[in-house]
Amino acid sequence: MTTAIVATAFGGPEVLSVVDVDVPAPGPGEVTVRVVAASVNPIDHKRFSGTMGADPARLPMRIGSEAAGVVTAVGPGAEGPAGPLAVGDEVVVYPAPGAFAGELTVAARNVVPKPADVSWEEAAAVLLVGATAVHALEVVGAGAGDTLVVHGASGGVGSLVTQLALARGAAVVATASERHHETLRGYGAVPVTYGAGLADRIRRAAPSGVDAAVDTVGTDEAVDTSLELVADRRRIVSIAAFGRASEGIALIGGGPGADPGTEIRSNAWRTLLPALADGTLRVVVARTFPLVEAAEAIALVESGHAGGKVVLRP
């Protein structure tokens, strides 16, 4: 048995309960992992909020998407993307359905090694948002000599897009509220405040022009500004503006008509975890909560004021 977080109804964080659940023995191609840290993401609440459907047959619903921990049991033929897995291995798991738990059994194909120099909290918090960031940069082809605009550069995806683009040699103009500008300058980006006059502020920050744009917020302002500044619409990508597909921009992720980027995302760990280990990439962990306070952690994420990633520790 282990402790787990489940939604007993559809709604807000108040519908979550702390329960004891069985941990299945790993079958062929599976492993059991003792969870050391699990990351809280907006998708976790969306799944039980009712906005993605409210079929009562899905209740009670296990919660959580990604985790880091230690392998405690191995099923026959359990091999991850980096090779065979063994008891005692320190690993990162994504996707990790039901990650808000003390222990879980998962498909070995979702399990990769955790670098020793990466904290449990960072390891648990990087792959979901990081896979989206890697996918976005691959789509726009940002690299040395390019100037890239990142809309929502202080958010979970945007901050990683910014850092990864800079590591590729691109110049980055980062839109964010003023309280995040110092952090963005620390990465090496040129921050600008969003709002009226955004296009002109970006032009002043990038007098030689803008080659590509990544929109992580989905606002009309972000898309319209990108269309105004970027000549090649194929080098504008959005993870949220799914209603703008007819304008020739690239859409990625799970929305209607979007490119899921399955292969790119499944291999993103090969970029993200080494970058965390060598310090090229930083994940800001704003708060850590005990597992039993998952409802409070989700409420903080939903507030939009977490200031970084929120992590649970069983």
Side-chain angles (χ1 to χ4, degrees), residues 1-4 19-25 62 101 103-105:
M1 300 285 286
T2 192
T3 301
V19 300
D20 291 329
V21 297
D22 291 325
V23 182
R62 291 279 298 272
E103 198 169 25
L104 67 159
T105 297

Side-chain angles (χ1 to χ4, degrees), residues 78-97:
E79 187 167 336
L85 294 160
V87 171
D89 286 351
E90 296 186 350
V91 297
V92 186
V93 189
Y94 175 70

Side-chain angles (χ1 to χ4, degrees), residues 130-157:
T132 302
V134 169
H135 187 190
L137 287 173
E138 287 297 314
V139 170
V140 299
D146 284 328
T147 296
L148 173 72
V149 172
V150 180
H151 296 282
S154 64
V157 176

Side-chain angles (χ1 to χ4, degrees), residues 30-178:
E30 293 182 331
V31 297
T32 300
V33 175
R34 175 177 62 82
V35 176
V36 178
S39 175
V40 181
N41 293 284
I43 188 64
D44 298 321
H45 179 230
K46 287 178 182 177
R47 288 190 173 123
F48 69 86
S49 68
T51 60
M52 299 176 68
D55 182 355
R58 295 165 56 207
L59 300 173
M61 182 190 302
R62 291 279 298 272
I63 307 301
S65 306
E66 58 181 342
V70 179
V71 175
T72 58
V74 177
E79 187 167 336
L85 294 160
V87 171
D89 286 351
E90 296 186 350
V91 297
V92 186
V93 189
Y94 175 70
F100 294 1
E103 198 169 25
L104 67 159
T105 297
V106 295
R109 65 178 177 273
N110 298 342
V111 179
V112 298
K114 183 187 85 68
D117 293 335
V118 175
S119 73
W120 290 108
E121 291 84 359
E122 288 179 309
V126 71
L127 291 191
L128 189 154
V129 290
T132 302
V134 169
H135 187 190
L137 287 173
E138 287 297 314
V139 170
V140 299
D146 284 328
T147 296
L148 173 72
V149 172
V150 180
H151 296 282
S154 64
V157 176
S159 67
L160 298 189
V161 170
T162 297
Q163 294 175 73
L164 293 169
L166 289 163
R168 290 179 173 212
V172 175
V173 178
T175 78
S177 61
E178 196 161 343

